[in-house]
Amino acid sequence: MEFCDECGSMMKTEGDMWVCDSCGFEKLRDEAKEAAMTTTQGQEEGELVDMSDVDAAEIGPTVEQKCPECDEVRSVRYEMKQIRSADESETRFFTCTECGHKWREDDH
């Protein structure tokens, strides 16, 4: 990803040039610099997080919440993890202390 030196907007590639759609600024592409850039190509979406090997006591604090398995309000352990991009909210992982059922919640 490249940002415009003139206006700061994100630029796109056109052949051997970086072009800014906002102000029209152009500059030559640098192959060595681009090779060092991190891309999203080939990354898998929705990668699962395996919590099965985590001891229940290590999962985190408890809160009262309705367990989808028990269908009752129970004491559940929760943990929050950033598993998506940094500009998205954290995912909350829950484990029912009664039946051991595990689930997660994401903000949409």
Side-chain angles (χ1 to χ4, degrees):
M1 183 178 304
E2 188 72 27
F3 294 95
C4 180
D5 294 339
E6 298 294 318
C7 71
S9 296
M10 189 166 55
M11 300 178 80
K12 65 179 184 178
T13 58
E14 287 184 5
D16 63 346
M17 300 292 288
W18 283 103
V19 179
C20 177
D21 279 340
S22 297
C23 71
F25 178 76
E26 296 182 356
K27 67 180 176 181
L28 282 172
R29 293 174 64 180
D30 181 346
E31 287 184 35
K33 184 177 176 184
E34 288 179 37
M37 290 181 182
T38 302
T39 68
T40 58
Q41 290 178 325
Q43 293 181 354
E44 294 181 28
E45 287 189 34
E47 184 178 329
L48 296 176
V49 177
D50 183 10
M51 298 286 288
S52 61
D53 292 336
V54 178
D55 186 272
E58 296 176 6
I59 292 180
T62 60
V63 66
E64 297 296 313
Q65 184 154 342
K66 186 175 184 176
C67 171
E69 188 71 22
C70 299
D71 202 33
E72 292 184 31
V73 175
R74 302 280 191 186
S75 177
V76 298
R77 294 191 184 280
Y78 72 93
E79 181 178 23
M80 298 177 74
K81 288 192 174 199
Q82 187 72 38
I83 62 171
R84 296 174 287 165
S85 54
D87 65 337
E88 301 211 22
S89 61
E90 294 178 313
T91 301
R92 293 172 301 280
F93 292 91
F94 297 97
T95 303
C96 179
T97 57
E98 297 294 319
C99 71
H101 179 70
K102 297 179 180 186
W103 71 98
R104 70 186 232 181
E105 288 182 355
D106 298 304
D107 288 336
H108 298 287

